[in-house]
Amino acid sequence: MNIKNESIRGMHDYLPKEIMIWNHVETILKKILFSYCYNEIRLPILEYTTLFNNTIGNTTDIITKEMYSFEDRSKKKITLRPEGTVSCVRANIQHKLLNNKEQKLWYLGPMFRYERPQKGRYRQFYQMGVEVFGLKGPDIEIELILLTFRFWKKLGIDRHLILEINSIGSINIRHKYKKDLVKFLKKNKSQLDDDSKKRLDTNPLRILDSKNPSTQILLKNGPKLHHYLDKNSSIFFKKLCCFMSDIGIPYTINNNLIRGLDYYNDTVFEWKTNKLGSQNTICAGGRYDKLTEQLGGPKVPAIGFAIGMDRLILLIKEVSSLILPFSIDVYILIFDDSFKLDAIKLSELIRNKLPALKVMINFHEINITKQFRLANKHNSRVALLLGPKEKEKKSILMKDLTNKTQKIVLKTELINELSFLL
Ligand code: HAM
């Protein structure tokens, strides 16, 4: 097979202009996390494959067909992480962070799933995840929902996101429900499409997410998970809904919201948009009270969510007027080659005195008109010209490229003159 020198399908480069938006968004999210006292944790991209198998769920799409797994040089089975929750739990246990302590953590990084790529769905994508350990809820559920809502408001996209919540009860209840659902669907197998027929034996709960209208009509007559909830789960969910109504964030209860990973219990939630087509979930999460114990740690309740950063950026670009010009504060132009060293020294002086400014030097040997054109093309705010006439007078020509005004400035006065850019 002829492999082109291009990035792998579903994995793409994030170019500088795009990264400016990412940095801007990440800074906003990190500031908010800081204000809620959440701490960053950095986790490896590779983990032993066994970590994921039983936790995410042996019959889930991720485990059965989406993981990038291979053997390392010592024949150990390893996997590029498909998500961050399980690694985060592993790290908490390994470093004994959970003994009688509450932990509020966040992480940001690439995840890998071998999915069919399309808009908003990639094989390498980024998640910002938040995981809280040691709190039973539902107060912490409310904090996480308020936190995410604050993200959206600050990013100017809150009008385009709706919150869906559900309770999926305990893991045992879900097993019982799954059995009854399969029984019902097998009886009505002829009414299912091929995709759902396949899922019947592998991952039947995903049939609830089916976009096929006739499947949805059929499901209306089938067993409902919320009818299976035990007393504790029902009371917990009622309390959560009461709190939600009290804080006034709009939400809907979606009884079909089950989530595609097995470790959840009780609360699950998703923030969705109708602006991105089928890949419409921007942020998703839920409670996973049994996972830490399952991985050999103490009995610790936990809850978290992850934002699909690629989808978040797509949504911001789609709906908000976030304009981030590729701007330079000071662009230094040179009369000829003999001024290059002066230009370097001047740029260092400006960076020493006014470190917040972005300073760029033109190193190309092109005429002054072309250099001014370049300065404008880069969206520069001020251009400084170093030339023989100016050198003789120990001065610099300073041009304000926004107002189109210019003046000769003494070198000793330059820093003062530039401080309006701060
Ligand atoms: P998840 O629903 O698998 O949950 O992923 C969370 C979010 O990551 C999705 O809602 C979506 O925005 C984004 N995402 C997932 N797959 C892709 C993809 N192929 N391309 C682009 N974006 C994608 C989890 O991963 C859980 N660990 C979330 C969690 C944290 N639950 C508790 N704590």
Side-chain angles (χ1 to χ4, degrees), residues 83 85 113 115 120 122 127 131 259 263-264 281 304-305 308:
E83 59 107 53
T85 308
R113 295 183 194 175
E115 292 193 79
Y122 312 107
Q127 279 187 349
E131 314 290 355
R259 309 274 302 118
Y263 49 63
Y264 293 114
T281 306
F305 65 80

Side-chain angles (χ1 to χ4, degrees), residues 394 398 408-419:
K394 292 197 165 63
M398 175 169 149
I408 303 287
V409 174
L410 276 177
K411 248 179 145 178
T412 49
E413 283 302 307
L414 182 69
I415 298 300
N416 259 347
E417 291 284 346
L418 289 176
S419 51

Side-chain angles (χ1 to χ4, degrees), residues 31 45 58 119 128 181-182 351:
K31 273 191 187 154
I45 287 174
N58 280 323
K119 182 180 168 190
M128 176 177 259
L181 180 71
V182 170
R351 291 187 193 106

Side-chain angles (χ1 to χ4, degrees), residues 51-249:
L51 179 68
F52 300 114
N53 284 348
N54 296 323
T55 50
I56 290 176
N58 280 323
T59 58
T60 58
D61 285 351
I62 295 182
I63 298 297
T64 53
K65 50 186 185 189
E66 293 172 2
M67 292 217 296
Y68 281 89
S69 297
F70 44 91
E71 284 184 353
D72 70 6
R73 287 173 188 275
S74 59
K75 303 269 177 259
K76 298 220 165 67
K77 287 207 166 96
I78 54 176
T79 292
L80 281 169
R81 62 182 184 192
E83 59 107 53
T85 308
V86 176
S87 302
C88 191
V89 174
R90 196 256 320 124
N92 273 285
I93 298 170
Q94 187 174 336
H95 303 287
K96 301 189 173 48
L97 302 184
L98 298 176
N99 299 339
N100 303 319
K101 271 184 252 145
E102 135 192 343
Q103 287 292 342
K104 293 183 168 180
L105 303 167
W106 65 267
Y107 49 85
L108 172 65
M111 308 292 160
F112 303 84
R113 295 183 194 175
Y114 194 82
E115 292 193 79
R116 197 169 45 79
Q118 63 180 93
K119 182 180 168 190
R121 187 164 71 193
Y122 312 107
R123 289 180 175 173
Q124 176 178 335
F125 59 97
Y126 284 74
Q127 279 187 349
M128 176 177 259
V130 168
E131 314 290 355
V132 178
F133 298 88
L135 294 172
K136 288 200 303 273
D139 39 10
I140 186 63
E141 268 86 339
I142 298 295
E143 179 169 295
L144 291 183
I145 285 163
L146 283 166
L147 170 69
T148 46
F149 192 57
R150 191 176 290 272
F151 287 160
W152 320 142
K153 271 198 293 189
K154 193 78 192 164
L155 293 167
I157 54 171
D158 50 309
R159 280 183 305 119
H160 304 283
L161 284 163
I162 54 153
L163 174 63
E164 290 184 355
I165 61 174
N166 192 22
S167 174
I168 56 171
S170 67
I171 291 173
N172 288 343
I173 288 290
R174 215 156 57 250
H175 281 319
K176 186 170 172 345
Y177 169 69
K178 198 157 122 181
K179 267 193 195 155
D180 290 355
L181 180 71
V182 170
K183 218 195 247 170
F184 167 79
L185 290 173
K186 280 200 167 153
K187 248 195 239 159
N188 297 283
K189 199 169 174 182
S190 57
Q191 294 180 54
L192 293 176
D193 58 26
D194 287 348
D195 200 37
S196 292
K197 273 182 194 153
K198 256 190 247 157
R199 288 187 186 277
L200 205 48
D201 295 316
T202 54
N203 197 1
L205 292 179
R206 291 317 295 261
I207 298 175
L208 299 174
D209 286 341
S210 167
K211 303 243 159 40
N212 188 329
S214 62
T215 309
Q216 285 304 331
I217 292 170
L218 176 66
L219 285 168
K220 279 197 177 125
N221 299 319
K224 308 274 183 310
L225 179 56
H226 58 280
H227 293 150
Y228 287 65
L229 296 189
D230 61 22
K231 203 171 152 207
N232 287 344
S233 291
S234 298
I235 292 172
F236 186 91
F237 191 54
K238 269 198 192 122
K239 203 165 161 193
L240 171 62
C241 293
C242 270
F243 280 9
M244 285 295 301
S245 305
D246 205 36
I247 58 167
I249 293 178

